Amino acid sequence: MTVGWIGTGRMGSAMARRLARAGFDVTAWNRTRAKTEALTGDGIRAADHITDLADCDVVFTMVSTSTDLEAVLTDLFARTDAAPSTVVDCSTVSAEASAAVRAAAQDRGVDFLAAPVSGNGKVVAAGRLSLVVSGPEPVYHRVEPLLAALGRSTTYVGDGETARLVKLCHNLLLGVVIQSVAEITVLAERGGVSRAAFLDFLNHSVMGSMFTRYKTPALVKLDYTPTFTPVLLRKDFDLGLAAAQDLGVPMPVAALTQQIIQGVISGGRGADDFAVLLEQQAAAAGLDLKPESAEVDDGL
């Protein structure tokens, strides 16, 4: 299968590289061409125009918002003489936007899979990406070799937009967990325990996880180089809480976390990594954080 890739930001570029290194024929397009040209050393061709990807068998999309997804697929389908057989969208967008682009794809005779992912660029490079997929099951099985090359697990959850809800549930938990980790880490440090020591204990306990391990360097070193920003997390909380309202599910802890995330953004830290929630929690406790020199790793 020939593969087209739309969106070569932090996640998209890492995922496109995985496919190319697995031996697939990949052509990529991005609004900022320099980001695509940076991938040519990995054997990925840079498309001059998004419509060039209409000749590919399968096109993946990895963009930031529902509006971006609708825009790039409108442009992709602008050609009347060619279209991919399948579009696989790995973005985190609303179910409503996903259903709209699915309908647009079907109008062009193109199969559509929703396949949002869990991980960041480093997780992708380590082969530990997780995908959740919904859409026609025969289409899922047809592109399964591509999905398998992207990460360590793929979970098929049914037809339609089911995968969108699963991913929003995932990101609601992501935000609640990082806020909880920030709170307990500040509590421990306020009591005289270094962040490195506390997180070492946590990571080796039943409460530790791959997530707490790979955020440990950021929390210890106060390195907020972005992997996922508060602005993007707020977008997912907005979508997730809207879904909860539609389904009649109260989510008091998630709703409070949304306001805390908004506070970080309003405080001018929206472009940092979302681990910066630690700083806000420390400030609320009157604690002046300093980077620690302890050697820690992210488990990847």
Side-chain angles (χ1 to χ4, degrees):
M1 290 180 282
T2 56
V3 179
W5 195 282
I6 297 173
T8 53
R10 284 187 294 268
M11 282 294 289
S13 59
M15 293 169 71
R17 282 191 184 99
R18 291 281 305 180
L19 290 179
R21 291 171 181 174
F24 292 101
D25 181 345
V26 182
T27 302
W29 178 88
N30 193 79
R31 286 193 182 99
T32 306
R33 184 179 172 83
K35 291 183 178 181
T36 305
E37 290 176 341
L39 300 174
T40 56
D42 296 283
I44 297 171
R45 287 186 296 277
D48 292 322
H49 306 286
I50 192 171
T51 50
D52 295 341
L53 303 185
D55 294 311
C56 296
D57 296 317
V58 179
V59 171
F60 282 81
T61 50
M62 173 57 91
V63 295
S64 297
T65 68
S66 299
T67 302
D68 291 333
L69 178 61
E70 292 169 345
V72 296
L73 290 186
T74 297
D75 292 343
L76 177 67
F77 296 152
R79 274 181 63 179
T80 59
D81 63 324
S85 66
T86 306
V87 167
V88 181
D89 176 58
C90 299
S91 316
T92 300
V93 300
S94 70
E96 293 76 15
S98 185
V101 297
R102 184 185 299 279
Q106 289 172 341
D107 287 345
R108 287 299 315 275
V110 176
D111 293 317
F112 182 85
L113 292 176
V117 303
S118 172
N120 58 32
K122 193 168 184 181
V123 171
V124 175
R128 296 188 178 185
L129 191 73
S130 300
L131 301 93
V132 58
V133 185
S134 62
E137 190 168 5
V139 180
Y140 165 71
H141 289 302
R142 189 169 71 236
V143 303
E144 200 168 4
L146 294 169
L147 302 175
L150 288 172
R152 67 174 183 172
S153 71
T154 303
T155 303
Y156 177 73
V157 292
D159 211 347
E161 314 314 324
T162 317
R164 304 300 186 185
L165 178 60
V166 173
K167 179 58 193 299
L168 292 175
C169 290
H170 170 282
N171 279 17
L172 289 172
L173 180 61
L174 181 72
V176 168
V177 169
I178 191 61
Q179 174 59 24
S180 295
V181 171
E183 291 178 17
I184 60 173
T185 302
V186 166
L187 174 62
E189 183 168 359
R190 190 68 166 161
V193 182
S194 72
R195 296 190 302 279
F198 172 70
L199 291 167
D200 180 69
F201 167 73
L202 180 70
N203 289 337
H204 287 92
S205 76
V206 295
M207 296 304 297
S209 66
M210 187 170 81
F211 173 70
T212 62
R213 288 183 180 88
Y214 78 63
K215 296 313 286 186
T216 290
L219 297 172
V220 171
K221 306 293 185 182
L222 307 184
D223 179 1
Y224 304 123
T225 303
T227 60
F228 188 57
T229 66
V231 169
L232 291 175
L233 185 58
R234 179 185 62 185
K235 180 260 294 184
D236 295 345
F237 263 69
D238 291 345
L239 294 173
L241 290 173
Q245 182 173 349
D246 289 343
L247 294 170
V249 178
M251 302 194 74
V253 175
L256 177 57
T257 303
Q258 181 193 42
Q259 293 305 302
I260 295 170
I261 295 165
Q262 180 60 57
V264 168
I265 296 168
S266 298
R269 305 299 295 271
D272 288 326
D273 188 77
F274 69 120
V276 77
L277 284 161
L278 180 74
E279 296 276 358
Q280 180 164 276
Q281 188 62 32
L287 185 63
D288 182 22
L289 297 181
K290 303 294 183 185
E292 295 179 5
S293 60
E295 291 299 320
V296 293
D297 73 54
D298 58 10
L300 294 176

